[in-house]
Amino acid sequence: MTTKKMAIIATKGTLDMAYPPFILASTAAALGYDVQIFFTFYGLQLLKKDLSDVKISPLANPAMPMPIPMPVMVQMLPGMESMATMMMKQKLAKHGVASLEELRDLCLEADVKFVACQMTVDLFEMDKREFIDNVEYGGASMFFGFAGETDICLFV
Amino acid sequence: MKFDKEFDASGMSCPLPIVKTKKALADMESGQVLRVIATDCGAVKDMQAFADQTGHTLLSNTEEGGKYVFMMKKK
């Protein structure tokens, strides 16, 4: 049996959108897939050693369930983003959902390969020292080298 | 039923029961049985799907006192 492969492009850097790539990658790896995640644009935030800047905002996110209805005028007040992030993290923990750090570690343990978009690193003048060690740097062609052979390819 | 190792995934949500079941199986011998306990109801279908896709055998799948108990035989 040949090993199945999955590639994911992770483009978002918010707390809610950080979960799907890591959940799918760790699960696929557990099922025996060879997995690679290509992090580009805001997705690069997910490779930082310190993930405390990965937040969720209720602003422009009308689908986010809120304990009480909150007008947009209130959502934009200072501190609302941190409060929403704290509430979301408490909710995740209460329901036994792993933290991003834990899921990311499980991916690495299962040999999921992380590729960071070099162009984005240069564009946003990001400091590679802020990223975790297990990251390769590359571009779109490098991604296609793997993605072209995959059974599943997702854009998140 | 006899088992060789137990993994308690109580309180864990997707994908942890599956990902950690895979880890628990890693240091076991072929033919040995892992008993997994979970509280996430999604694990019932996920554990069967995990077995189908990895070649391990799900020997049984029962509910005991509000918890789901799986017997997984390593391939």
Side-chain angles (χ1 to χ4, degrees):
Chain A
M1 196 176 84
T2 55
T3 305
K4 288 194 171 188
K5 292 182 184 176
M6 177 171 80
I8 300 174
I9 308 173
T11 64
K12 309 286 197 301
T14 55
L15 181 62
D16 50 342
M17 295 308 283
Y19 270 91
F22 289 136
I23 289 178
L24 294 169
S26 57
T27 306
L31 293 173
Y33 281 72
D34 189 3
V35 186
Q36 186 168 312
I37 310 178
F38 185 75
F39 296 86
T40 185
F41 279 77
Y42 313 109
L44 278 178
Q45 301 294 346
L46 309 182
L47 291 177
K48 289 194 172 167
K49 286 175 191 151
D50 177 8
L51 290 176
S52 57
D53 282 341
V54 176
K55 292 178 179 166
I56 187 164
S57 173
L59 261 188
N61 194 0
M64 185 178 170
M66 298 294 276
I68 43 165
M70 202 171 282
V72 170
M73 286 288 282
V74 178
Q75 289 173 16
M76 59 194 283
L77 293 172
M80 289 307 290
E81 196 176 79
S82 298
M83 197 181 83
T85 301
M86 192 185 73
M87 284 167 59
M88 182 63 132
K89 284 186 176 172
Q90 282 171 354
K91 203 174 183 57
L92 289 162
K94 189 175 149 223
H95 288 268
V97 179
S99 65
L100 285 181
E101 287 85 351
E102 185 180 3
L103 280 175
R104 187 173 70 179
D105 286 345
L106 286 167
C107 286
L108 289 171
E109 246 179 82
D111 292 327
V112 172
K113 189 166 156 189
F114 292 166
V115 181
C117 171
Q118 180 65 53
M119 180 275 279
T120 311
V121 173
D122 297 339
L123 177 68
F124 293 139
E125 296 172 358
M126 298 172 105
D127 184 351
K128 284 184 181 174
R129 285 171 301 186
E130 284 185 28
F131 295 129
I132 53 173
D133 298 329
N134 320 57
V135 176
E136 274 190 47
Y137 295 84
S141 319
M142 181 178 163
F143 172 75
F144 281 114
F146 180 82
E149 307 285 314
T150 56
D151 301 274
I152 301 173
C153 190
L154 304 171
F155 182 91
V156 179
Chain B
M1 196 187 294
K2 220 168 98 344
F3 56 90
D4 302 283
K5 187 177 174 182
E6 187 173 73
F7 163 54
D8 190 351
S10 297
M12 293 180 192
S13 282
C14 172
L16 293 182
I18 294 297
V19 172
K20 295 200 169 179
T21 292
K22 152 88 177 177
K23 275 179 73 175
L25 284 163
D27 63 358
M28 293 174 68
E29 307 279 331
S30 175
Q32 286 191 317
V33 176
L34 175 71
R35 182 174 194 255
V36 182
I37 304 162
T39 47
D40 172 18
C41 65
V44 177
K45 292 214 165 138
D46 276 350
M47 209 59 82
Q48 183 63 60
F50 171 76
D52 291 344
Q53 291 173 75
T54 53
H56 304 302
T57 311
L58 185 59
L59 300 173
S60 72
N61 160 13
T62 51
E63 207 182 325
E64 291 171 22
K67 294 195 173 190
Y68 304 99
V69 179
F70 307 91
M71 290 292 193
M72 188 75 75
K73 188 176 165 193
K74 181 165 178 171
K75 79 166 172 187

